[in-house]
Amino acid sequence: MFKRLNVLLIAFIFFMIIGPAYAVSGELSNVKDYLDYLTDDEESELQEAIDSVRTGYNLDVVIVITDDTEGKSSKDFADDYYDYNGYGVGSDSSGLLMLINMAEREVWISTTGKAIDIFTDSRIAEMIDDVVGPLSEGAYFEASNTFIDDIRYYVEMGVPQGQHRVEQEYQGQSSTAYYHKVTYFDKVLGLMQSFYVFLFALIISGIATILASLSSKGTVTINNHTYEAKGSFVLSSSRDDFIRETTTKTEIHKDSGDSTSSIHTGSSGTTHGGGGGKF
Amino acid sequence: MDVVKGYRCTSCGGGLKFDPASQKWKCQYCLSEFSKNEIETDTPIEESLEKDISDLDSYHCTSCGAELIADNTTSATFCLYCRSHSIIKSRFSGKFKPKSLIPFKITKDQAEELYKKWISKRIFAPKDFKRKEEIEKITGIYAPFWLFNCKSEGMIRGEGTRTRSWTSGNYQYTQTKYYHVMRGGHAKYHKVPVDASKKLDDKFMHMIEPYNYNDLTDFSMKYMSGFMAEKYDVEASEAEVVMKGRVEKYMEERLRETVDGYTSFSLHDKKVSLSDIHNEYSMLPIYLLNNKYKGKDHIFIVNGQTGKVVGDTPISRSRQFAFMGIVFAIVWIISVFGGAFFV
């Protein structure tokens, strides 16, 4: 029975490691500059940076520069562009898209899949702040680089504690009123693929094995009181002299809204998060 | 005078054996029982033990005359041919005369039961080791111990901190107060036991402690009847070094326990000194089983008074790995299915 279990375990570990690699999407250009603001060199440099994010973090990154949003709002155009062009990594099409809408002089970041959880509203707001500066000066290449750097930075930080999704009120703007609720089954699937759960179980089982092996011999059950003659201990001197004191002061980070990811559903039925700003 | 002693039944002349269950001496053949005073009415041999009796090269069984197989330290044993119990008096004489002993409370049957129970719980022991039918070889042995009494005086010094934190406005404040902490005290320690046999593993002998000293009685050779016994081969002065280390640690810990009310305490300096050190040579009961497995000895010891069990088994890697795999699977399943309620 043990042998069969071991085989299962190995198969499981194998699956854990190989699984995500299958999901990496095929060749797609991730820099769509319809207004030719970027040189070819800049485009290929950005594509290279995006490729490394995709393989390193399993997140797709798309940058779109256009002045024609087919009559849609920046938000809807960004969501649809991402969905209908088949971007995204993994079964939940994880990734981010930054739309630079020159018609409205507006920038919009749309998040999908696990990017929704990492890029909370407050982080999106920070990222928008970071790119608005260069965009208003016409530095599109610099803005795009900042965008990718910010992605790396926040992905490294991971999902903030207490992160939760909040369904945005349906405003009648998007064509389908489709509410996608995260079910228990989705959560189970998510945790099954989680490396941290895997690591946690590995560490606990390792510690349990070491402890069980060590304690199998028997333990010392005497302590410093065992052989002390009853009542013979006398504390003859005892001093507690105050020497100095220090006080440190740290700023409290206001947490309100920090952990919220607002979500909505695009016309394709996929859930997105995101935010934007004017430049 | 006989150098080898065997206690005999007054009714039939058979060998007598101390029976831990009844705390009396029982004849192996006619099953008569005798109390301590009934065994021997003539001059107690204990007195003759005060003088050194010189060790001989070989000893012979008092029943059948065969030579006794005995190590240099064996002081009570049984004859390989007629199974009668023999006590080598010279090895309990002079400086080897123990002052006290704790009689066996656990019977051999109980010790065997304890072994079976214990081995069934050794999840990492290989199957063929568990199956080994060596349980018969479990032996009751009076193990030599040095018991030390001493006074101890100690002092510790260190730095203690108290932290307090509060918030005011947008800031969190943490205040740390540092104190110079000193504690001094003294205590008496009674009967700290130190293994006096080189044959027996110190680590395991330490683990079978504690013994209940309420049962400690004056040494009498009669108790040896029916058991093996060893004489000490660790001198009192060597054992004292071991005892000192232990008592110094006890004292330090005792003083540290009095340091309270601090968030943290770090020890900078300690001093413990012992005085009025007295030792007493004592025989304490153990059951011992030595299992050989793939050329290595694996020891199993039961405290012959309290029944506390310690021991060591070979460890099978594949069983360890299987155990880890099962724990991993359980933790993983609980984390995934249970954790999903909380994320």
Short mmCIF file of all heavy atoms in Angstrom, two decimals, chain A residues 106-159:
data_model
loop_
_atom_site.label_atom_id
_atom_site.label_comp_id
_atom_site.label_asym_id
_atom_site.label_seq_id
_atom_site.Cartn_x
_atom_site.Cartn_y
_atom_site.Cartn_z
N GLU A 106 -6.93 58.96 -22.41
CA GLU A 106 -7.27 58.19 -21.21
C GLU A 106 -6.44 56.90 -21.22
O GLU A 106 -6.17 56.35 -22.27
CB GLU A 106 -8.76 57.83 -21.25
CG GLU A 106 -9.32 57.32 -19.95
CD GLU A 106 -10.83 57.10 -20.03
OE1 GLU A 106 -11.32 56.64 -21.09
OE2 GLU A 106 -11.50 57.36 -19.04
N VAL A 107 -6.05 56.48 -20.03
CA VAL A 107 -5.35 55.20 -19.93
C VAL A 107 -6.18 54.28 -19.05
O VAL A 107 -6.76 54.70 -18.05
CB VAL A 107 -3.91 55.38 -19.38
CG1 VAL A 107 -3.90 56.04 -18.01
CG2 VAL A 107 -3.19 54.02 -19.30
N TRP A 108 -6.28 53.01 -19.49
CA TRP A 108 -7.08 52.05 -18.72
C TRP A 108 -6.28 50.75 -18.58
O TRP A 108 -5.71 50.26 -19.54
CB TRP A 108 -8.41 51.76 -19.44
CG TRP A 108 -9.27 50.86 -18.59
CD1 TRP A 108 -9.29 49.51 -18.63
CD2 TRP A 108 -10.20 51.25 -17.59
NE1 TRP A 108 -10.17 49.02 -17.69
CE2 TRP A 108 -10.74 50.08 -17.03
CE3 TRP A 108 -10.62 52.49 -17.08
CZ2 TRP A 108 -11.69 50.10 -16.00
CZ3 TRP A 108 -11.56 52.50 -16.06
CH2 TRP A 108 -12.09 51.32 -15.53
N ILE A 109 -6.24 50.23 -17.33
CA ILE A 109 -5.60 48.93 -17.10
C ILE A 109 -6.69 47.92 -16.79
O ILE A 109 -7.49 48.13 -15.87
CB ILE A 109 -4.59 48.98 -15.95
CG1 ILE A 109 -3.42 49.93 -16.30
CG2 ILE A 109 -4.04 47.58 -15.63
CD1 ILE A 109 -2.46 50.19 -15.17
N SER A 110 -6.74 46.86 -17.59
CA SER A 110 -7.73 45.80 -17.36
C SER A 110 -6.99 44.56 -16.84
O SER A 110 -5.96 44.18 -17.36
CB SER A 110 -8.43 45.48 -18.68
OG SER A 110 -9.13 44.26 -18.57
N THR A 111 -7.55 43.95 -15.78
CA THR A 111 -6.91 42.75 -15.22
C THR A 111 -7.84 41.55 -15.39
O THR A 111 -9.05 41.69 -15.41
CB THR A 111 -6.62 42.92 -13.72
OG1 THR A 111 -7.84 43.18 -13.04
CG2 THR A 111 -5.64 44.02 -13.46
N THR A 112 -7.23 40.39 -15.56
CA THR A 112 -8.00 39.16 -15.77
C THR A 112 -7.37 38.03 -14.96
O THR A 112 -6.15 38.01 -14.75
CB THR A 112 -7.99 38.76 -17.25
OG1 THR A 112 -8.28 39.91 -18.04
CG2 THR A 112 -9.02 37.67 -17.55
N GLY A 113 -8.20 37.08 -14.51
CA GLY A 113 -7.71 35.88 -13.83
C GLY A 113 -7.04 36.23 -12.52
O GLY A 113 -7.53 37.06 -11.76
N LYS A 114 -5.86 35.64 -12.31
CA LYS A 114 -5.23 35.84 -10.99
C LYS A 114 -4.67 37.27 -10.86
O LYS A 114 -4.40 37.71 -9.74
CB LYS A 114 -4.19 34.77 -10.71
CG LYS A 114 -2.89 34.90 -11.45
CD LYS A 114 -1.93 33.82 -10.98
CE LYS A 114 -0.64 34.05 -11.69
NZ LYS A 114 0.39 33.21 -11.86
N ALA A 115 -4.54 37.96 -11.99
CA ALA A 115 -4.10 39.36 -11.93
C ALA A 115 -5.11 40.22 -11.18
O ALA A 115 -4.75 41.23 -10.58
CB ALA A 115 -3.87 39.91 -13.34
N ILE A 116 -6.39 39.80 -11.20
CA ILE A 116 -7.42 40.56 -10.49
C ILE A 116 -7.10 40.60 -9.00
O ILE A 116 -7.24 41.63 -8.34
CB ILE A 116 -8.82 39.93 -10.70
CG1 ILE A 116 -9.22 39.96 -12.18
CG2 ILE A 116 -9.86 40.63 -9.84
CD1 ILE A 116 -10.52 39.24 -12.48
N ASP A 117 -6.65 39.46 -8.49
CA ASP A 117 -6.39 39.36 -7.06
C ASP A 117 -5.11 40.09 -6.65
O ASP A 117 -5.03 40.69 -5.59
CB ASP A 117 -6.29 37.89 -6.63
CG ASP A 117 -7.62 37.17 -6.84
OD1 ASP A 117 -8.66 37.82 -6.67
OD2 ASP A 117 -7.60 35.98 -7.20
N ILE A 118 -4.11 40.02 -7.55
CA ILE A 118 -2.84 40.68 -7.21
C ILE A 118 -2.98 42.19 -7.33
O ILE A 118 -2.54 42.94 -6.47
CB ILE A 118 -1.71 40.17 -8.13
CG1 ILE A 118 -1.50 38.67 -7.92
CG2 ILE A 118 -0.42 40.93 -7.88
CD1 ILE A 118 -0.63 38.02 -8.97
N PHE A 119 -3.65 42.61 -8.43
CA PHE A 119 -3.73 44.06 -8.68
C PHE A 119 -5.04 44.59 -8.12
O PHE A 119 -6.05 44.67 -8.82
CB PHE A 119 -3.53 44.35 -10.16
CG PHE A 119 -2.18 43.90 -10.64
CD1 PHE A 119 -1.99 42.64 -11.18
CD2 PHE A 119 -1.07 44.73 -10.47
CE1 PHE A 119 -0.74 42.21 -11.56
CE2 PHE A 119 0.20 44.30 -10.85
CZ PHE A 119 0.36 43.04 -11.40
N THR A 120 -4.98 44.94 -6.83
CA THR A 120 -6.17 45.48 -6.16
C THR A 120 -6.40 46.90 -6.63
O THR A 120 -5.53 47.51 -7.28
CB THR A 120 -5.96 45.47 -4.64
OG1 THR A 120 -4.77 46.22 -4.36
CG2 THR A 120 -5.79 44.05 -4.12
N ASP A 121 -7.53 47.45 -6.31
CA ASP A 121 -7.89 48.80 -6.74
C ASP A 121 -6.81 49.82 -6.39
O ASP A 121 -6.46 50.68 -7.21
CB ASP A 121 -9.22 49.22 -6.09
CG ASP A 121 -10.38 48.38 -6.63
OD1 ASP A 121 -10.13 47.58 -7.56
OD2 ASP A 121 -11.50 48.52 -6.12
N SER A 122 -6.27 49.69 -5.17
CA SER A 122 -5.29 50.70 -4.77
C SER A 122 -3.99 50.53 -5.55
O SER A 122 -3.32 51.52 -5.86
CB SER A 122 -5.05 50.63 -3.27
OG SER A 122 -4.48 49.38 -2.95
N ARG A 123 -3.63 49.29 -5.88
CA ARG A 123 -2.42 49.09 -6.67
C ARG A 123 -2.61 49.59 -8.10
O ARG A 123 -1.69 50.18 -8.68
CB ARG A 123 -2.05 47.59 -6.68
CG ARG A 123 -1.50 47.14 -5.33
CD ARG A 123 -1.17 45.68 -5.34
NE ARG A 123 -0.54 45.30 -4.07
CZ ARG A 123 -0.12 44.07 -3.79
NH1 ARG A 123 -0.26 43.10 -4.68
NH2 ARG A 123 0.44 43.79 -2.63
N ILE A 124 -3.80 49.36 -8.66
CA ILE A 124 -4.10 49.86 -10.01
C ILE A 124 -4.00 51.39 -10.01
O ILE A 124 -3.40 52.00 -10.91
CB ILE A 124 -5.53 49.42 -10.45
CG1 ILE A 124 -5.60 47.89 -10.63
CG2 ILE A 124 -5.96 50.15 -11.71
CD1 ILE A 124 -5.01 47.36 -11.91
N ALA A 125 -4.54 51.99 -8.95
CA ALA A 125 -4.50 53.45 -8.86
C ALA A 125 -3.05 53.95 -8.85
O ALA A 125 -2.71 54.93 -9.51
CB ALA A 125 -5.26 53.92 -7.63
N GLU A 126 -2.19 53.24 -8.09
CA GLU A 126 -0.77 53.61 -8.05
C GLU A 126 -0.14 53.49 -9.43
O GLU A 126 0.65 54.35 -9.86
CB GLU A 126 -0.01 52.66 -7.10
CG GLU A 126 -0.43 52.73 -5.65
CD GLU A 126 0.41 53.73 -4.84
OE1 GLU A 126 1.40 54.22 -5.43
OE2 GLU A 126 0.05 54.01 -3.69
N MET A 127 -0.48 52.41 -10.12
CA MET A 127 0.12 52.17 -11.44
C MET A 127 -0.34 53.22 -12.44
O MET A 127 0.45 53.70 -13.27
CB MET A 127 -0.25 50.76 -11.94
CG MET A 127 0.47 49.66 -11.17
SD MET A 127 -0.22 48.05 -11.44
CE MET A 127 0.42 47.65 -13.05
N ILE A 128 -1.62 53.59 -12.35
CA ILE A 128 -2.13 54.63 -13.24
C ILE A 128 -1.39 55.94 -12.97
O ILE A 128 -0.92 56.62 -13.89
CB ILE A 128 -3.66 54.81 -13.03
CG1 ILE A 128 -4.42 53.55 -13.49
CG2 ILE A 128 -4.17 56.06 -13.75
CD1 ILE A 128 -4.41 53.30 -14.99
N ASP A 129 -1.21 56.24 -11.67
CA ASP A 129 -0.45 57.43 -11.29
C ASP A 129 0.94 57.42 -11.91
O ASP A 129 1.44 58.44 -12.38
CB ASP A 129 -0.30 57.49 -9.77
CG ASP A 129 -1.50 58.18 -9.12
OD1 ASP A 129 -2.38 58.63 -9.88
OD2 ASP A 129 -1.54 58.23 -7.87
N ASP A 130 1.58 56.24 -11.87
CA ASP A 130 2.94 56.12 -12.38
C ASP A 130 3.04 56.37 -13.89
O ASP A 130 4.05 56.89 -14.37
CB ASP A 130 3.51 54.72 -12.06
CG ASP A 130 3.78 54.53 -10.58
OD1 ASP A 130 3.79 55.55 -9.86
OD2 ASP A 130 3.98 53.37 -10.15
N VAL A 131 2.01 55.94 -14.63
CA VAL A 131 2.12 56.08 -16.09
C VAL A 131 1.56 57.38 -16.63
O VAL A 131 1.92 57.82 -17.72
CB VAL A 131 1.46 54.89 -16.85
CG1 VAL A 131 2.22 53.60 -16.61
CG2 VAL A 131 -0.01 54.73 -16.50
N VAL A 132 0.67 58.03 -15.85
CA VAL A 132 0.05 59.26 -16.33
C VAL A 132 1.10 60.35 -16.60
O VAL A 132 1.05 61.05 -17.61
CB VAL A 132 -1.04 59.74 -15.33
CG1 VAL A 132 -1.34 61.21 -15.53
CG2 VAL A 132 -2.29 58.91 -15.48
N GLY A 133 2.11 60.40 -15.70
CA GLY A 133 3.18 61.40 -15.86
C GLY A 133 3.85 61.31 -17.23
O GLY A 133 3.76 62.24 -18.05
N PRO A 134 4.52 60.19 -17.52
CA PRO A 134 5.18 60.06 -18.82
C PRO A 134 4.22 60.19 -20.01
O PRO A 134 4.59 60.78 -21.04
CB PRO A 134 5.78 58.65 -18.78
CG PRO A 134 5.56 58.10 -17.43
CD PRO A 134 4.79 59.06 -16.62
N LEU A 135 2.98 59.67 -19.86
CA LEU A 135 2.04 59.73 -20.99
C LEU A 135 1.71 61.17 -21.35
O LEU A 135 1.63 61.52 -22.53
CB LEU A 135 0.75 58.97 -20.65
CG LEU A 135 0.84 57.44 -20.70
CD1 LEU A 135 -0.49 56.82 -20.29
CD2 LEU A 135 1.24 56.95 -22.08
N SER A 136 1.53 62.01 -20.34
CA SER A 136 1.17 63.39 -20.63
C SER A 136 2.31 64.12 -21.33
O SER A 136 2.10 65.12 -22.00
CB SER A 136 0.74 64.11 -19.35
OG SER A 136 1.81 64.08 -18.43
N GLU A 137 3.56 63.59 -21.16
CA GLU A 137 4.70 64.20 -21.86
C GLU A 137 4.96 63.51 -23.19
O GLU A 137 5.95 63.80 -23.86
CB GLU A 137 5.95 64.10 -20.98
CG GLU A 137 5.90 65.03 -19.79
CD GLU A 137 6.85 64.58 -18.69
OE1 GLU A 137 7.79 63.81 -18.97
OE2 GLU A 137 6.63 65.01 -17.53
N GLY A 138 4.11 62.52 -23.53
CA GLY A 138 4.27 61.81 -24.79
C GLY A 138 5.35 60.74 -24.76
O GLY A 138 5.77 60.24 -25.79
N ALA A 139 5.79 60.39 -23.54
CA ALA A 139 6.85 59.36 -23.44
C ALA A 139 6.19 58.00 -23.34
O ALA A 139 6.08 57.43 -22.25
CB ALA A 139 7.75 59.65 -22.24
N TYR A 140 5.73 57.47 -24.51
CA TYR A 140 4.95 56.23 -24.49
C TYR A 140 5.81 55.01 -24.15
O TYR A 140 5.37 54.09 -23.46
CB TYR A 140 4.26 56.03 -25.84
CG TYR A 140 3.38 57.22 -26.18
CD1 TYR A 140 3.80 58.21 -27.07
CD2 TYR A 140 2.14 57.36 -25.55
CE1 TYR A 140 3.02 59.30 -27.33
CE2 TYR A 140 1.35 58.46 -25.81
CZ TYR A 140 1.79 59.44 -26.70
OH TYR A 140 1.00 60.51 -26.94
N PHE A 141 7.05 55.01 -24.63
CA PHE A 141 7.94 53.90 -24.34
C PHE A 141 8.24 53.82 -22.84
O PHE A 141 8.17 52.77 -22.21
CB PHE A 141 9.24 54.04 -25.15
CG PHE A 141 10.24 52.95 -24.87
CD1 PHE A 141 9.94 51.63 -25.20
CD2 PHE A 141 11.45 53.24 -24.26
CE1 PHE A 141 10.86 50.63 -24.94
CE2 PHE A 141 12.37 52.24 -24.01
CZ PHE A 141 12.08 50.93 -24.36
N GLU A 142 8.53 55.00 -22.27
CA GLU A 142 8.84 55.06 -20.83
C GLU A 142 7.63 54.62 -20.01
O GLU A 142 7.75 53.85 -19.05
CB GLU A 142 9.24 56.49 -20.46
CG GLU A 142 9.85 56.58 -19.08
CD GLU A 142 9.94 58.03 -18.58
OE1 GLU A 142 10.08 58.94 -19.42
OE2 GLU A 142 9.85 58.22 -17.36
N ALA A 143 6.42 55.06 -20.41
CA ALA A 143 5.20 54.68 -19.70
C ALA A 143 5.02 53.17 -19.74
O ALA A 143 4.67 52.54 -18.73
CB ALA A 143 4.00 55.38 -20.31
N SER A 144 5.27 52.58 -20.93
CA SER A 144 5.10 51.14 -21.08
C SER A 144 6.08 50.38 -20.19
O SER A 144 5.73 49.39 -19.54
CB SER A 144 5.32 50.72 -22.53
OG SER A 144 4.43 51.42 -23.37
N ASN A 145 7.34 50.87 -20.15
CA ASN A 145 8.34 50.23 -19.28
C ASN A 145 7.95 50.31 -17.81
O ASN A 145 8.09 49.36 -17.06
CB ASN A 145 9.70 50.89 -19.48
CG ASN A 145 10.52 50.12 -20.51
OD1 ASN A 145 10.40 48.90 -20.59
ND2 ASN A 145 11.31 50.84 -21.28
N THR A 146 7.46 51.49 -17.41
CA THR A 146 7.02 51.68 -16.03
C THR A 146 5.92 50.68 -15.69
O THR A 146 5.91 50.06 -14.62
CB THR A 146 6.49 53.11 -15.83
OG1 THR A 146 7.48 54.01 -16.30
CG2 THR A 146 6.16 53.38 -14.38
N PHE A 147 5.00 50.53 -16.65
CA PHE A 147 3.88 49.60 -16.47
C PHE A 147 4.39 48.17 -16.20
O PHE A 147 3.97 47.52 -15.23
CB PHE A 147 3.03 49.64 -17.75
CG PHE A 147 1.90 48.64 -17.79
CD1 PHE A 147 0.89 48.66 -16.82
CD2 PHE A 147 1.82 47.71 -18.82
CE1 PHE A 147 -0.16 47.77 -16.89
CE2 PHE A 147 0.78 46.80 -18.89
CZ PHE A 147 -0.23 46.83 -17.90
N ILE A 148 5.35 47.74 -17.02
CA ILE A 148 5.87 46.38 -16.85
C ILE A 148 6.65 46.24 -15.54
O ILE A 148 6.51 45.25 -14.82
CB ILE A 148 6.75 45.99 -18.06
CG1 ILE A 148 5.88 45.91 -19.32
CG2 ILE A 148 7.44 44.65 -17.83
CD1 ILE A 148 6.65 45.86 -20.61
N ASP A 149 7.42 47.28 -15.19
CA ASP A 149 8.17 47.25 -13.93
C ASP A 149 7.22 47.14 -12.74
O ASP A 149 7.48 46.39 -11.79
CB ASP A 149 9.04 48.51 -13.78
CG ASP A 149 10.24 48.47 -14.72
OD1 ASP A 149 10.51 47.36 -15.26
OD2 ASP A 149 10.88 49.51 -14.91
N ASP A 150 6.12 47.93 -12.81
CA ASP A 150 5.14 47.88 -11.72
C ASP A 150 4.54 46.49 -11.58
O ASP A 150 4.29 46.01 -10.47
CB ASP A 150 4.03 48.91 -11.95
CG ASP A 150 4.47 50.32 -11.57
OD1 ASP A 150 5.56 50.45 -10.98
OD2 ASP A 150 3.73 51.29 -11.86
N ILE A 151 4.29 45.86 -12.73
CA ILE A 151 3.72 44.50 -12.70
C ILE A 151 4.65 43.57 -11.94
O ILE A 151 4.24 42.87 -11.01
CB ILE A 151 3.48 43.98 -14.14
CG1 ILE A 151 2.34 44.74 -14.79
CG2 ILE A 151 3.16 42.48 -14.10
CD1 ILE A 151 2.15 44.44 -16.26
N ARG A 152 5.94 43.62 -12.34
CA ARG A 152 6.92 42.77 -11.64
C ARG A 152 6.90 43.03 -10.15
O ARG A 152 6.89 42.12 -9.32
CB ARG A 152 8.34 43.06 -12.15
CG ARG A 152 8.64 42.55 -13.51
CD ARG A 152 10.10 42.91 -13.81
NE ARG A 152 10.38 42.88 -15.22
CZ ARG A 152 10.68 41.77 -15.89
NH1 ARG A 152 10.74 40.63 -15.24
NH2 ARG A 152 10.91 41.82 -17.19
N TYR A 153 6.91 44.31 -9.78
CA TYR A 153 6.98 44.71 -8.39
C TYR A 153 5.81 44.14 -7.57
O TYR A 153 6.01 43.54 -6.51
CB TYR A 153 6.99 46.24 -8.33
CG TYR A 153 6.93 46.82 -6.95
CD1 TYR A 153 8.05 46.77 -6.10
CD2 TYR A 153 5.77 47.42 -6.46
CE1 TYR A 153 8.01 47.31 -4.84
CE2 TYR A 153 5.71 47.96 -5.19
CZ TYR A 153 6.84 47.90 -4.38
OH TYR A 153 6.79 48.43 -3.12
N TYR A 154 4.59 44.30 -8.10
CA TYR A 154 3.43 43.84 -7.34
C TYR A 154 3.30 42.33 -7.34
O TYR A 154 2.82 41.75 -6.37
CB TYR A 154 2.14 44.50 -7.85
CG TYR A 154 2.05 45.94 -7.44
CD1 TYR A 154 1.99 46.97 -8.39
CD2 TYR A 154 2.01 46.29 -6.10
CE1 TYR A 154 1.91 48.29 -8.02
CE2 TYR A 154 1.93 47.61 -5.70
CZ TYR A 154 1.87 48.62 -6.67
OH TYR A 154 1.79 49.91 -6.28
N VAL A 155 3.69 41.69 -8.44
CA VAL A 155 3.61 40.22 -8.47
C VAL A 155 4.55 39.64 -7.42
O VAL A 155 4.22 38.69 -6.72
CB VAL A 155 3.94 39.67 -9.87
CG1 VAL A 155 4.05 38.15 -9.83
CG2 VAL A 155 2.87 40.06 -10.86
N GLU A 156 5.73 40.26 -7.29
CA GLU A 156 6.67 39.79 -6.27
C GLU A 156 6.07 39.93 -4.88
O GLU A 156 6.29 39.11 -4.00
CB GLU A 156 7.99 40.59 -6.34
CG GLU A 156 8.87 40.25 -7.52
CD GLU A 156 9.47 38.84 -7.44
OE1 GLU A 156 9.46 38.26 -6.34
OE2 GLU A 156 9.93 38.33 -8.48
N MET A 157 5.31 41.01 -4.67
CA MET A 157 4.68 41.22 -3.37
C MET A 157 3.57 40.22 -3.12
O MET A 157 3.21 39.94 -1.98
CB MET A 157 4.15 42.64 -3.25
CG MET A 157 5.23 43.63 -2.85
SD MET A 157 4.74 45.34 -2.96
CE MET A 157 3.32 45.41 -1.95
N GLY A 158 2.99 39.74 -4.18
CA GLY A 158 1.94 38.74 -4.04
C GLY A 158 0.58 39.34 -3.76
O GLY A 158 0.41 40.57 -3.75
N VAL A 159 -0.36 38.48 -3.50
CA VAL A 159 -1.72 38.90 -3.19
C VAL A 159 -1.73 39.49 -1.79
O VAL A 159 -1.25 38.84 -0.86
CB VAL A 159 -2.70 37.72 -3.28
CG1 VAL A 159 -4.11 38.15 -2.91
CG2 VAL A 159 -2.67 37.12 -4.67
#
